[in-house]
Amino acid sequence: HFQRCWSTWLDAFLWTLTIKECTTPTTAPGATEINQAVKAGSLTVTTIQPSSTLHSLERVLDDGEAAAIALAEQKNCSVLIDEKKGRKAAIRKNIDIVGSGMILVKAKQKGLISEVAPLLEKMKQCGYRLSADIYHQILKIASEEWSPVTVQLRDVTVTVY
């Protein structure tokens, strides 16, 4: 499924409100890089046409997820969405989904980053939720070794998976 998504994903579109949310304030994490990608033409900022899909999704999802799914439907492309409720809605609409973890895998495959694991860890530290199962799947696809870590805390042994 992932390979099929990437073979057809040639352009990246951002909704005007999404770009504003991601780059305001300009000191927000990633704001500089997003603005540079827009200026370089790697990201295209676009508007969304009002549609029945958008209106129905706005009733059950937040504006960002609703807009991302509606935009993917209008552009006939995959959607980058991590929120569980949004992913389910996209799947119901038969829209291919890609998560942030798979974006990192693709960046590694293209030589843009050397490792996925440290970036996943940083995302988790910043509040990004990722199940252990998905975490391990992403590392496996990225061809990165993973093993549980066992730590002794006083009289308790904890194994982190």
Side-chain angles (χ1 to χ4, degrees):
H1 184 273
F2 168 69
Q3 293 301 328
R4 184 168 60 87
C5 290
W6 276 105
S7 66
T8 59
W9 191 54
L10 303 174
D11 299 307
F13 300 98
L14 281 176
W15 181 39
T16 49
L17 183 59
T18 302
I19 194 84
K20 185 177 178 182
E21 288 176 358
C22 293
T23 59
T24 305
T26 56
T27 57
T32 300
E33 293 81 0
I34 291 169
N35 282 323
Q36 288 172 346
V38 170
K39 287 178 186 170
S42 301
L43 292 174
T44 302
V45 180
T46 188
T47 57
I48 299 172
Q49 300 303 315
S51 68
S52 59
T53 295
L54 180 59
H55 295 302
S56 67
L57 290 171
E58 286 175 330
R59 290 187 206 119
V60 293
L61 301 173
D62 72 29
D63 290 347
E65 275 79 23
I69 294 167
L71 183 59
E73 186 175 73
Q74 289 174 15
K75 298 284 188 182
N76 193 29
C77 64
S78 301
V79 63
L80 169 60
I81 196 164
D82 290 313
E83 195 245 37
K84 192 175 193 176
K85 201 172 180 184
R87 291 173 77 90
K88 287 181 179 180
I91 289 168
R92 281 193 300 275
K93 296 258 178 216
N94 293 315
I95 296 170
D96 287 332
I97 54 174
V98 173
S100 298
M102 297 311 286
I103 296 291
L104 295 176
V105 169
K106 190 63 173 179
K108 180 180 177 181
Q109 291 171 346
K110 289 185 167 274
L112 301 173
I113 60 173
S114 60
E115 291 182 288
V116 170
L119 296 173
L120 285 177
E121 286 301 317
K122 182 68 173 171
M123 290 169 63
K124 286 171 54 178
Q125 290 170 8
C126 292
Y128 182 78
R129 293 188 191 119
L130 193 63
S131 73
D133 185 48
I134 297 295
Y135 182 88
H136 300 144
Q137 287 178 34
I138 291 168
L139 293 184
K140 183 177 179 181
I141 294 168
S143 301
E144 294 184 24
E145 291 297 318
W146 177 88
S147 59
V149 176
T150 302
V151 179
Q152 183 71 36
L153 303 171
R154 294 188 187 184
D155 58 344
V156 177
T157 302
V158 178
T159 302
V160 180
Y161 293 93

